[in-house]
Every structure is written in C-alpha cells, then in structure tokens.
C-alpha cells in the first residue's frame, strides 16, 4: 500500500519522527519518493516487521564470557545491541558464523565513553565516522559494533551517513533481504523485508528497489551473484526486474576498484551454479568491467567445472578455461590486480593445459615440479591445480602425497671440482639434473658427480 502526501507534509513528518533536521529529511525523502504522472509523490509504508524466537545450537554457541560482558555493558547503559547482517543469515541457515557484526542505538561517542569507563580497549578509530567502534574484551576477543545509520548521500562507492535509532531505516539501507535482518541476544529475530522467508524459498532479492540499492554501491551487482551462488537451488531463477536493474546500471562497475571486484569474483567462483552465473554475467555485459574478454570459451569452462568442481579448484584454476591466451590472463590481471601467485598460476595453466603427458603422466607432473625455479611447495601447488584442470584425478592423490626431492648437487661443489663459473657451470648442472630426472630422482650427489667428466666433454669444458 502506498500513502500519498506532498513533499512539504513529509518534510515535517520525517523530521519529527526520526529526529533528523529538515535538510537531512529532504535527502531521505529524495531517496524514498518517486514521481507519478499526477504530480504527487509516493512514500512507502513502513515495512511489515516479522519477529520470531530462535534457540539453536549455533546460536547458543555464540555466548562466550566475552560476549556476555559486551551485552551486559550495553544493557547497563540502556542501549540496544543486536547481531546484524551475515551472521544472522548464517544462523538461520544452521551455519556457525565465522565472525559477528553488531548494530546498536548508541553513537560512537557513547560507545567510546562506555568502553573507557570500564577500562575496555578500543582501536581502529578510522571506522568511527561511519559509526563503527572495535573493542577488545578481556584482552581476548575483538567485537565490531556499528551505530544504526542511513545513507544520506552515495556516489556508487562511498556513502555519507547519518546516525539513527530506527532499526528499520538501517535495515532498508542494506543490500539484500537476507542480509537485512537483526537478531537480539535473547534470540528474537527482527525481519523487516522478508529475509527469513526468502532464505526458506532460496531467493535472493534486493531490499526495495534493485536499481536504487545498486546505485548506492555498484559492487552490489557482484554481491548479488555471489549470494545467488550460495543461496539459490535453481541456477536460473533470477527475477527479471533484478536482471534489468543490473543491465541498466552495469557501467557503474567501471568506477569500482579492481581489487574489490576480484574479491567478489573469487567468491562467486567458489560457490554453486558457477557456469550458469558466469553466463548470465557475460550476457549482462559485466565481463568487460572484470577484465574478461567479450567471448569466453564456455565449452571449455563447462567441461573444467563439471570435471573438477568437487576437487575445489582455485579461482585461477577455473578462470583460464574462459581465456584463450597468456595475453588475456594479463588483461584480467591489469583490471583486478590479483596476487603474484594467482597470476603465475593462471599463466601456468594456460601454458601447460595442452601439453602431451606421455605414457607416464605422473612422471610428467613430477618433472614439472622439479624443473620449476624457486619455491618447490608453490610449484607443487600449481601442478596440483593443473592436474585438477586436466581431470587427472586418478593421480592427484599420489602427487599430493609426493614430497619433491631436493637436487643434491650445487654450483659450489662443481666449482670446487674445477668447473668454471658462468655458462659452462650452468650447462654442467643442467646435464646432471637431466641424469637425476632419468633416474626418477634416485641418484645421490656422489653418483651424479660421476657424470661430471661426461658433461665436460659434451660441453667442451676445460
């Protein structure tokens, strides 16, 4: 149901009900009203609050002495504090949250005064302008507590916030219904936008207008697909309104840092329905803002995903399946600024995915590890990911259990034997390494040194 009023009337209503001044109320109304053909404006009726009590093993497991102390401190000072966002979602799904975020009616200054009065250490003051204070209880556990707030102005990346004591106003500024719920420490769930029902129905919906939520922070496009891959059971049940809003606003991703996009993309690649989700993202034009080519090789991507998803491949094991060359891997890296190890893995996959494995694939992969320069553990990890990509699962366990041996001869030992340093020493070392590989890494130093004279003759070493 929509209630009709003039802007002037609602300025008075919003400022009086919320405690905001009229300038702030004006900005809230501009975000909440939509023009209609009759020259009136529409203000949505307050969401229908649903509450329920939960008492699950996962919920009870939260109550450490440190959490009890935090809750009692807020209660003692007559401030509300509730679990917010993702932790609530996880608890409703029967998942033990990896971390807890809290929301409160106390301002940062009030929280700081409370903690100071109890001798509780706080840090990370940079978060205070957005309402967040981090405290350390019993010198053991950190808790992040954020004042209820609304986004007064946004630019698609950052927001100017106004503090409030209205739980719904904070809820409606969040991205998805499943992330907009609060949970009191007595087990009472506060759900303003049907998040719990959406969880039960395996739906992923934006709070209110999808376009509005996206324009507040364009990274929410990526977050939508990340949570779709985590929550939805049907790989292709996106709401048309949501896809239309994403398509119309996808260019906003151009202003989002590559690092933030990469964090979300990696999480998408670790979820469910990955080929279907990536297809939709390409159809919507998101690929160009992630540094991916216009036409990905989805035939190869589908094959790799189908064959190795249960082996939990790394993101840069999967993504090269969409790419045709080292140049495209480097183009992706230019946009998302991945780590050196991630870049090296992507290049390694593209360079070796079509190699002839010969009659003994195990030997081939072991040689790749031992031929690698630098850290053998990193070399083994890259080779194991290549094995997943090529679906050589029958030998993966053997390779994982195999400890790469250390080449027993070094340049100093050859120099002591009179081999000149420089190119000739490198040639002799390479020759001995070849003999070592032929023995399947069984020859020791003394046995390998017997081949030094043969190497001298081969390379005309004086």
């Amino acid at each position: 149901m929509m209630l009709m009023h003039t802007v002037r009337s609602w300025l008075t209503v919003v400022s009086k009900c919320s405690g905001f001044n009229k300038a702030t109320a004006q900005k809230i109304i501009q975000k909440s009203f939509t023009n209609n053909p009759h020259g009136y404006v529409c203000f949505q009726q307050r969401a229908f609050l649903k509450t329920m009590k939960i008492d699950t093993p996962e919920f009870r497991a939260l109550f450490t002495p440190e959490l009890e102390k935090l809750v009692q401190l807020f209660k003692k000072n007559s401030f509300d504090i509730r679990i917010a966002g993702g932790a609530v979602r996880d608890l409703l799904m029967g998942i033990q949250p990896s971390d807890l975020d809290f929301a409160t009616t106390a301002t940062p200054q009030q929280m700081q005064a409370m903690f100071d009065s109890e001798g509780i250490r706080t840090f990370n003051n940079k978060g205070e302008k957005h309402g967040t204070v981090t405290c350390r209880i019993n010198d053991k556990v950190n808790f992040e507590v954020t004042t209820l707030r609304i986004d007064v102005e946004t630019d698609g990346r950052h927001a100017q916030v106004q503090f409030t004591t209205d739980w719904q106003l904070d809820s409606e500024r969040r991205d998805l219904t499943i992330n907009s719920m609060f949970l009191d420490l007595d087990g009472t769930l506060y759900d303003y936008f049907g998040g719990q029902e959406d969880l039960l129905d395996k739906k992923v919906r934006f709070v209110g207008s999808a376009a509005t939520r996206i324009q507040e922070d364009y990274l929410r496009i990526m977050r939508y697909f990340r949570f779709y891959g985590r929550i939805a059971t049907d790989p292709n049940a996106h709401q048309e309104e949501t896809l239309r809003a994403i398509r119309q606003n996808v260019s906003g991703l151009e202003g989002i840092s590559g690092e933030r996009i990469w964090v979300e993309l990696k999480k998408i690649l670790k979820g469910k329905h990955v080929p279907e989700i990536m297809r939709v993202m390409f159809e919507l034009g998101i690929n160009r803002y992630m540094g991916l080519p216009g036409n990905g090789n989805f035939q190869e991507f589908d094959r790799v995903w189908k064959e190795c998803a249960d082996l939990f491949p790394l993101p840069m094991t999967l993504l090269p399946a969409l790419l045709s060359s080292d140049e495209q891997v480097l183009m992706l890296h230019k946009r998302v600024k991945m780590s050196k190890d991630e870049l090296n893995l992507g290049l390694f996959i593209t360079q070796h995915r079509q190699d002839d494995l010969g009659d003994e694939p195990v030997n081939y992969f072991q040689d790749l590890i031992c031929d690698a320069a630098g850290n053998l553990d990193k070399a083994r990890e890259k080779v194991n990911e290549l094995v997943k990509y090529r679906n050589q699962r029958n030998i993966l366990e053997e390779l994982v259990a195999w400890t790469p041996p250390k080449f027993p001869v070094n340049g100093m030992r050859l120099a002591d034997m009179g081999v000149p340093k420089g190119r000739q020493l490198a040639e002799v070392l390479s020759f001995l390494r070849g003999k070592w590989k032929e023995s399947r890494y069984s020859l020791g130093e003394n046995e390998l040194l017997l081949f030094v004279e043969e190497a001298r003759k081969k390379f005309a070493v004086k």
Side-chain angles (χ1 to χ4, degrees):
M1 173 182 177
M2 308 296 285
L3 302 180
M4 309 300 295
H5 263 283
T6 64
V7 173
R8 181 173 297 178
S9 299
W10 277 110
L11 272 174
T12 304
V13 171
V14 174
S15 60
K16 283 186 176 180
C17 291
S18 64
F20 299 136
N21 61 39
K22 287 196 174 183
T24 301
Q26 175 93 48
K27 292 175 181 177
I28 296 171
I29 289 172
Q30 287 171 348
K31 289 167 65 67
S32 302
F33 283 81
T34 55
N35 291 323
N36 68 42
H38 304 291
Y40 290 93
V41 289
C42 302
F43 187 73
Q44 282 194 318
Q45 189 178 26
R46 289 182 66 83
F48 181 70
L49 172 63
K50 294 181 180 179
T51 62
M52 60 175 281
K53 278 287 188 88
I54 72 167
D55 184 20
T56 63
E58 294 81 14
F59 177 64
R60 292 193 294 272
L62 301 178
F63 286 88
T64 61
E66 289 72 30
L67 179 57
E68 295 277 10
K69 183 174 180 178
L70 179 74
V71 174
Q72 290 305 314
L73 177 60
F74 277 79
K75 186 178 293 187
K76 172 183 171 183
N77 288 274
S78 302
F79 293 114
D80 292 331
I81 183 171
R82 298 172 186 170
I83 302 171
V88 182
R89 179 196 66 238
D90 288 348
L91 286 167
L92 292 175
M93 295 174 66
I95 300 171
Q96 194 67 48
S98 56
D99 60 88
L100 297 176
D101 290 323
F102 295 89
T104 181
T105 52
T107 66
Q109 294 75 19
Q110 290 168 331
M111 283 193 277
Q112 191 66 58
M114 274 195 303
F115 295 137
D116 288 346
S117 68
E118 299 290 331
I120 295 173
R121 185 158 62 96
T122 61
F123 51 95
N124 192 22
N125 292 332
K126 291 183 180 179
E128 287 190 12
K129 69 177 182 178
H130 295 293
T132 300
V133 175
T134 304
C135 65
R136 186 167 181 82
I137 305 291
N138 295 342
D139 201 27
K140 185 177 181 181
V141 181
N142 296 341
F143 292 106
E144 193 173 275
V145 189
T146 302
T147 305
L148 296 177
R149 61 193 182 180
I150 63 164
D151 296 337
V152 178
E153 290 183 3
T154 60
D155 62 5
R157 291 183 297 172
H158 310 103
Q160 291 183 12
V161 302
Q162 173 81 42
F163 301 142
T164 181
T165 56
D166 188 317
W167 290 91
Q168 183 195 321
L169 288 179
D170 185 278
S171 179
E172 68 187 21
R173 58 167 284 277
R174 296 174 183 264
D175 54 0
L176 305 169
T177 61
I178 58 174
N179 295 333
S180 68
M181 297 174 283
F182 301 104
L183 184 64
D184 202 305
L185 278 301
D186 67 359
T188 301
L189 176 72
Y190 294 86
D191 179 9
Y192 294 93
F193 297 99
Q196 194 243 355
E197 184 176 345
D198 284 342
L199 273 181
L200 292 175
D201 293 339
K202 308 299 181 183
K203 291 182 180 178
V204 181
R205 294 189 303 117
F206 283 98
V207 173
S209 163
T212 300
R213 296 289 84 79
I214 290 170
Q215 290 163 11
E216 290 167 347
D217 183 354
Y218 291 103
L219 191 67
R220 287 174 171 174
I221 291 174
M222 303 294 293
R223 284 174 57 81
Y224 166 79
F225 287 107
R226 190 234 295 187
F227 283 106
Y228 191 93
R230 182 173 178 184
I231 302 297
T233 52
D234 186 333
N236 294 297
H238 306 278
Q239 294 184 335
E240 185 54 40
E241 176 194 354
T242 299
L243 296 185
R244 183 166 54 250
I246 291 173
R247 184 180 289 107
Q248 292 172 349
N249 290 280
V250 67
S251 62
L253 285 171
E254 188 170 8
I256 302 298
S257 73
E259 292 88 342
R260 294 180 72 200
I261 287 177
W262 183 229
V263 168
E264 293 297 329
L265 179 55
K266 287 192 290 184
K267 291 177 180 179
I268 291 169
L269 293 168
K270 291 180 179 179
K272 299 180 296 184
H273 318 311
V274 173
E276 294 86 355
I277 288 175
M278 292 299 292
R279 267 191 173 82
V280 173
M281 294 175 76
F282 268 68
E283 290 168 3
L284 295 173
I286 299 172
N287 50 302
R288 61 178 292 195
Y289 300 102
M290 298 188 293
L292 293 172
N295 295 308
N297 185 348
F298 275 99
Q299 183 177 356
E300 176 74 351
F301 190 79
D302 290 349
R303 179 197 68 78
V304 173
W305 170 256
K306 181 179 179 181
E307 292 178 349
C308 77
D310 62 318
L311 299 176
F312 306 105
L314 294 173
M316 277 313 291
T317 304
L318 286 176
L319 271 182
L322 285 171
L323 310 177
S324 61
S325 64
D326 287 358
E327 288 72 25
Q328 290 189 344
V329 174
L330 293 169
M331 181 178 72
L332 171 65
H333 172 59
K334 183 178 180 180
R335 173 64 176 115
V336 301
K337 308 294 191 299
M338 65 185 76
S339 71
K340 182 179 179 180
D341 287 343
E342 290 167 336
L343 174 61
N344 288 340
L345 174 58
L347 293 171
F348 185 80
I349 295 290
T350 58
Q351 291 163 5
H352 294 287
R353 59 186 169 188
Q354 294 181 337
D355 286 0
D356 182 0
L357 303 184
D359 296 329
E360 298 291 340
V362 173
N363 291 352
Y364 165 82
F365 288 120
Q366 288 178 343
D367 290 348
L368 267 184
I369 295 173
C370 290
D371 285 345
N375 189 303
L376 282 180
D377 288 335
K378 289 186 177 181
R380 180 164 64 173
E381 179 177 300
K382 288 192 296 186
V383 169
N384 288 344
E385 292 301 307
L386 176 63
V387 171
K388 296 176 188 178
Y389 184 101
R390 299 192 59 154
N391 195 29
Q392 297 285 323
R393 63 176 60 230
N394 57 316
I395 63 175
L396 182 60
E397 186 175 343
E398 182 178 350
L399 280 174
V400 170
W402 183 66
T403 301
K406 183 179 179 181
F407 183 50
V409 179
N410 58 48
M412 186 177 297
R413 185 73 175 87
L414 294 180
D416 289 343
M417 295 177 66
V419 178
K421 294 182 180 180
R423 178 181 59 82
Q424 292 181 327
L425 189 146
E427 289 175 336
V428 173
L429 265 179
S430 178
F431 181 81
L432 298 184
R433 180 177 282 276
K435 294 293 184 182
W436 184 55
K437 286 169 61 177
E438 290 173 10
S439 76
R440 300 315 308 156
Y441 311 107
S442 63
L443 295 179
E445 180 185 37
N446 292 334
E447 294 166 305
L448 287 171
L449 291 178
L450 296 176
F451 293 99
V452 170
E453 287 305 314
E454 182 181 344
R456 281 177 179 269
K457 294 176 182 178
K458 181 178 177 65
F459 299 109
V461 177
K462 296 181 179 179

